[in-house]
Amino acid sequence: MKKMRVRSAHGVLAAACIAMGALLAPAVGHAHDGKAHAQWEGTGDYQRTVRPYAVPDVVLTDADARPVRLRELLAGSDPVMMNFVFTTCGTICPVMVKVFADVPAALGAQAANLRLISISIDPDNDTPAQLKTYAKAIGAGERWKFLTGRVQDIKTVQMAFDSYRGDKMNHEPLTLMRQAPGKPWIRIDGFATPDELVREYRKVVLQ
Amino acid sequence: MWLRAASVALSVLGCPAIVGNTAWAQPAAAVLSGDDAARLLLGQRIYREGIGASGAPLKAVGAAQTALSGKDAACSICHRRSGYGTAEGKFVIRPIIGPALLAEQTVPVHTPRVKARVGVSQRPAYTEPLLARAVRAGLDASGKPLDPVMPRYALNDEEMRALSAYLFSLSAQPSPGVDEEEMHFATVIQPGVAPERRRAMIDVMQAFVRDKGANVRSDDRRREAGNMRMYRSYRKWVLHEWVLSGPSETWDAQLEAYYRKQPVFALVGGIGSANWAPIHAFCERLEVPSVFAQADVPVVSGTNNYNFYLSRGVALEAEVLARYLRDQPGSGKIVQVFRRDDAGSTAAATLRKALATPAAPTLEDRTLDGQADDAFWSTVVAGNPAAVVLWLGAADLKQAARPLARASGIPLYLSFELLDGKLPDAALTAGGNARWVYPSDLPPRREARLLRSKVWFHNKGIAITDEAVQINALFAMTVVSDVVGHIMDSFSRDYFVERLEHVVGQTPMPSLYPQVSLGPGQRFAAKGSTIVQLPDTDKQLPKALSPWIVP
């Protein structure tokens, strides 16, 4: 059993290299050609739980250096998917980011009102300008917001979503999704492929 | 071209041309033919940059038929520059250093956790044909498929030979500066550093080395008795002072002469207010890590694989100040005063660039040459500027205090770096106009945070004469010690660098900076600063005027 999990983690790492392609050389990225998600090997190696997280009242900063009150951002009626990344991470963040990049294509028309949020867990290094460059390199669209902020606030957010692991280099793959304010958060631990995320997302939206 | 080849061969083989006199240098390197050097150069380019023999990006196929090319396909992306691989969370990328590939894998693995990670597979040693099969067809030395994450590379024979030669030599020898008994470090002193400042740094560092030696004084005997890696890693630390003199164009030759006399594994600490670029370039060229020099003017752009800095120095101060000044209400010109030395020019140029936006206030330069008289300071404050930025050291500020005190109400912004972290002359702060670009935290929090270092100084009988220098010197030594503890007997400088990226944020010993962290490729530990109001009497505390600013 244990071996299975390790193998599948490697399976997803396959995507890490693809992600790096998208990040480091946008010309060879395939994020939006519509069939990119078909490149992922499904693993089923993730855990889904339902959690009643409360959104902390913090003011973060977006890639345009504008203040963003997290509660207000999440108060809209749109469904949301959220993850935690940092821009110099070379192992798991490229995978998570690449998955987010492929989700809209995998969702098709249903992607129209989905909001993607990536929160940096390396706020000291990930300045708004750094996030902007990163978002541009992976071809993030308008509905995908990258946030940074004060170190303490970023920690508060991670604590609120039970994703704080002491140091950014210890972080684990995690996706959070929620249909609307007042609904519970669905927590996906591990690497889910875009198709798997979409499957979970549809359950969330239809629940 | 051959020059480049030669320099790469130097780096690949641990600078044999320079080393020569250490027991661990490769004798074969001395007779390396031009062909061999060119082959290693190509292998290194494939490994580090993903560039093939033709100069074009390599083509590879990743999992699920994904096309990869160039840098994305470079081995070093996953296996890292050292070849020691990496691990984060559940991910483990195996080491592919020469000794690992060339070793038969027969060691029985009993622990389930380790078994799960390395797999139960046993394999013979890799040979050149087996390595070619692994790289091209994805089969390991025993014929079993490699993990699908490992891409398949379409290398031609020339490229494959080059990559094999490179991989079989990768981290095969310990980096220079380490022998079976000792591990050598050096700290660089630029000209113009006050003797007491230099002493403050060196005393802390030597005390640390003495302490370390005392703690392991019997462990060399244990090393002989056991075969555990932990025992094998014990080395006596030796710290050398590399004191530079004369013009900066001559420093490279001086550094090389020091290095030739005794290669060092890494530079630690170091101090100076002139441009650090020659030392930076030396470290890049010889692939020597440099850990936390107390440099006012570090190299803030361009290639940086080996030079770790505490912060971007005066450049960071100028950017933080620009951010603060841009947000201040009202308008009016700002005057900056600086000397035409490296630190002054760099600070002034950075502030000018950072304020070169349409909405920003106008900036006027006043350069200070020789002694400034009252007439000079009158021109600085003429026309009642909205602010005066003084990129000056303590001596100049002492001269400026009296004439500037008369121009009351004009905020004066001072540099922490150029004041060597010490409060300016009381006459300058007496008017209540002095503000500081301040990289640390304020009392009482600061005192609480730095207590650990101060207790250490106390225990070692070291008087606190230059707090900033001493705190940062101890921090640098502690970080290096932590990293050396992690690498054990894998004495690879690249591996050292990769571990250091992880360790810095976790080191319990404080630096002057309230927040330090690094990550892959990050080279500046502290990234922000704040603006504080200096009190006009010493009975009061400085007051923060801005939040923490990360420009």
Side-chain angles (χ1 to χ4, degrees):
Chain A
M1 190 57 209
K2 201 145 197 174
K3 191 187 163 200
M4 267 299 292
R5 289 178 61 192
V6 171
R7 294 288 301 177
S8 49
H10 279 194
V12 173
L13 187 59
C17 297
I18 309 171
M20 281 167 189
L23 284 181
L24 304 171
V28 300
H30 326 262
H32 301 291
D33 62 7
K35 27 172 216 218
H37 64 281
Q39 294 170 335
W40 294 83
E41 292 174 2
T43 63
D45 184 40
Y46 62 87
Q47 277 190 330
R48 175 189 197 273
T49 46
V50 180
R51 300 285 174 91
Y53 296 129
V55 179
D57 190 16
V58 293
V59 178
L60 304 180
T61 310
D62 70 9
D64 292 313
R66 289 177 305 217
V68 173
R69 186 174 286 264
L70 191 60
R71 277 189 181 167
E72 278 175 26
L73 180 68
L74 293 171
S77 58
D78 289 346
V80 65
M81 272 192 205
M82 193 162 83
N83 64 15
F84 296 94
V85 298
F86 67 100
T87 63
T88 60
C89 170
T91 49
I92 75 174
C93 307
V95 184
M96 293 196 287
V97 166
K98 175 66 177 160
V99 168
F100 264 31
D102 284 357
V103 158
L107 256 180
Q110 275 178 312
N113 65 345
L114 171 67
R115 183 182 274 290
L116 296 170
I117 299 171
S118 292
I119 299 178
S120 168
I121 56 167
D122 186 12
D124 262 352
N125 193 59
D126 289 341
T127 56
Q130 176 87 3
L131 288 182
K132 201 166 180 131
T133 309
Y134 188 78
K136 197 174 167 202
I138 55 179
E142 275 182 14
R143 296 194 59 80
W144 186 355
K145 219 167 183 51
F146 285 81
L147 298 174
T148 182
R150 296 192 315 151
V151 170
Q152 189 52 48
D153 292 338
I154 292 288
K155 185 174 168 186
T156 301
V157 177
Q158 291 181 78
M159 302 281 260
F161 290 98
D162 188 20
S163 70
Y164 184 66
R165 298 293 177 267
D167 181 74
K168 62 179 179 283
M169 309 257 221
N170 288 337
H171 72 155
E172 291 157 359
L174 168 68
T175 310
L176 295 152
M177 54 178 91
R178 194 185 66 174
Q179 184 196 358
K183 302 277 187 184
W185 287 91
I186 308 299
R187 179 186 175 103
I188 308 284
D189 280 291
F191 288 113
T193 65
D195 282 336
E196 288 164 342
L197 271 193
V198 162
R199 197 157 61 236
E200 296 297 341
Y201 177 78
R202 288 190 171 130
K203 281 188 218 160
V204 169
V205 172
L206 296 175
Q207 76 182 340
Chain B
M1 185 60 199
W2 67 269
L3 263 179
R4 255 192 85 199
S7 77
V8 170
L10 281 187
S11 60
V12 169
L13 300 166
C15 320
I18 293 180
V19 181
N21 62 346
T22 67
W24 292 58
Q26 285 190 34
V31 293
L32 197 67
S33 76
D35 283 354
D36 289 341
R39 187 171 300 136
L40 281 174
L41 169 70
L42 174 58
Q44 186 180 70
R45 215 169 53 186
I46 292 169
Y47 185 89
R48 289 183 178 175
E49 299 162 50
I51 303 291
S54 66
L58 279 186
K59 296 258 184 285
V61 179
Q65 303 303 304
T66 320
L68 299 172
S69 100
K71 187 84 183 164
D72 311 327
C75 319
S76 64
I77 290 277
C78 292
H79 293 281
R80 305 301 310 267
R81 212 172 153 97
S82 67
Y84 275 89
T86 187
E88 185 179 330
K90 288 182 193 167
F91 290 93
V92 176
I93 310 277
R94 288 202 209 177
I96 53 166
I97 59 170
L101 293 174
L102 289 167
E104 185 184 4
Q105 195 172 299
T106 58
V107 184
V109 182
H110 299 298
T111 325
R113 195 170 58 86
V114 176
K115 203 169 187 173
R117 202 165 345 112
V118 302
V120 289
S121 64
Q122 306 289 292
R123 59 154 177 79
Y126 275 99
T127 59
E128 226 181 290
L130 288 175
L131 194 59
R133 187 178 69 172
V135 169
R136 288 171 174 154
L139 298 175
D140 80 0
S142 69
K144 287 192 286 288
L146 290 168
D147 196 289
V149 65
M150 168 71 190
R152 321 285 178 251
Y153 291 83
L155 296 186
N156 65 31
D157 289 346
E158 180 195 359
E159 290 164 337
M160 197 55 239
R161 269 197 305 276
L163 183 61
S164 298
Y166 184 72
L167 285 179
F168 286 143
S169 72
L170 181 59
S171 301
Q173 299 290 329
S175 296
V178 189
D179 62 25
E180 306 222 33
E181 304 293 329
E182 294 174 332
M183 189 161 196
H184 293 265
F185 299 94
T187 191
V188 174
I189 317 287
Q190 285 184 338
V193 176
E196 58 276 11
R197 241 168 108 65
R198 169 179 160 188
R199 200 70 268 150
M201 182 184 76
I202 293 292
D203 284 352
V204 168
M205 296 175 79
Q206 293 292 12
F208 191 96
V209 169
R210 265 198 312 279
D211 211 32
K212 202 160 174 64
N215 282 335
V216 298
R217 65 183 177 274
S218 301
D219 286 306
D220 53 340
R221 294 205 306 279
R222 196 138 66 127
R223 186 175 56 211
E224 308 306 322
N227 62 357
M228 280 178 67
R229 291 192 62 186
M230 193 174 74
Y231 300 152
R232 291 208 306 267
S233 67
Y234 287 119
R235 295 293 184 281
K236 180 172 173 271
W237 280 28
V238 184
L239 178 68
H240 304 268
E241 274 184 72
W242 289 1
V243 182
L244 300 177
S245 59
S248 59
E249 304 85 76
T250 65
W251 294 355
D252 189 69
Q254 294 177 44
L255 292 168
E256 201 165 305
Y258 278 122
Y259 188 91
R260 191 175 292 126
K261 204 167 150 204
Q262 174 56 60
V264 294
F265 186 78
L267 300 186
V268 192
I271 195 163
S273 53
N275 197 330
W276 203 257
I279 303 146
H280 180 106
F282 172 83
C283 290
E284 289 298 313
R285 186 163 62 83
L286 291 191
E287 306 193 339
V288 177
S290 169
V291 185
F292 299 144
Q294 305 201 31
D296 287 351
V297 193
V299 176
V300 297
S301 60
T303 305
N304 187 349
N305 288 305
Y306 295 98
N307 288 272
F308 291 93
Y309 295 106
L310 289 159
S311 83
R312 284 183 290 132
V314 291
L316 173 68
E317 290 190 336
E319 285 176 14
V320 167
L321 186 55
R323 181 68 64 88
Y324 177 77
L325 291 171
R326 274 205 307 261
D327 291 345
Q328 292 312 295
S331 56
K333 68 173 182 182
I334 292 169
V335 178
Q336 62 172 346
V337 186
F338 59 97
R339 285 195 178 271
R340 283 182 231 262
D341 53 22
D342 291 345
S345 307
T346 304
T350 311
L351 184 66
R352 200 177 308 121
K353 191 172 166 216
L355 285 179
T357 56
T362 51
L363 183 67
E364 280 182 22
D365 289 356
R366 295 274 188 283
T367 52
L368 183 52
D369 303 297
Q371 285 289 344
D373 52 15
D374 283 10
F376 174 84
W377 292 111
S378 302
T379 65
V380 168
V381 294
N384 229 9
V388 173
V389 181
L390 300 164
W391 298 118
L392 299 170
D396 284 333
L397 289 176
K398 197 172 162 101
Q399 299 292 319
R402 198 174 40 83
L404 284 179
R406 272 181 248 131
S408 64
I410 302 175
L412 308 171
Y413 292 92
L414 314 176
S415 157
F416 186 89
E417 297 276 353
L418 292 172
L419 274 163
D420 297 333
K422 297 187 191 77
L423 285 168
D425 194 84
L428 198 74
T429 55
N433 297 327
R435 299 169 176 192
W436 220 6
V437 186
Y438 187 71
S440 192
D441 36 7
L442 293 171
R445 190 183 147 76
R446 180 179 192 271
E447 271 48 51
R449 202 175 53 77
L450 300 183
L451 192 59
R452 181 188 281 263
S453 308
K454 291 182 178 176
V455 168
W456 192 92
F457 297 144
H458 177 79
N459 289 344
K460 305 299 159 201
I462 296 173
I464 297 178
T465 55
D466 196 323
E467 187 181 88
V469 166
Q470 290 170 300
I471 295 270
N472 285 337
L474 180 57
F475 175 67
M477 293 304 278
T478 310
V479 165
V480 168
S481 176
D482 281 2
V483 177
V484 169
H486 276 286
I487 67 175
M488 296 221 275
D489 63 342
S490 302
F491 294 113
S492 150
R493 289 168 176 168
D494 285 317
Y495 187 42
F496 175 91
V497 163
E498 291 153 19
R499 291 305 319 175
L500 200 144
E501 288 172 345
H502 281 247
V503 159
V504 164
Q506 314 273 343
T507 301
M509 197 62 86
S511 72
L512 197 66
Y513 311 93
Q515 282 157 215
V516 287
S517 72
L518 292 172
Q522 295 184 25
R523 292 294 177 264
F524 300 93
K527 281 121 174 156
S529 218
T530 182
I531 309 291
V532 300
Q533 170 84 51
L534 289 175
D536 49 7
T537 71
D538 54 11
K539 291 192 181 59
Q540 290 164 307
L541 295 177
K543 191 179 84 191
L545 295 178
S546 79
W548 193 251
I549 299 174
V550 182

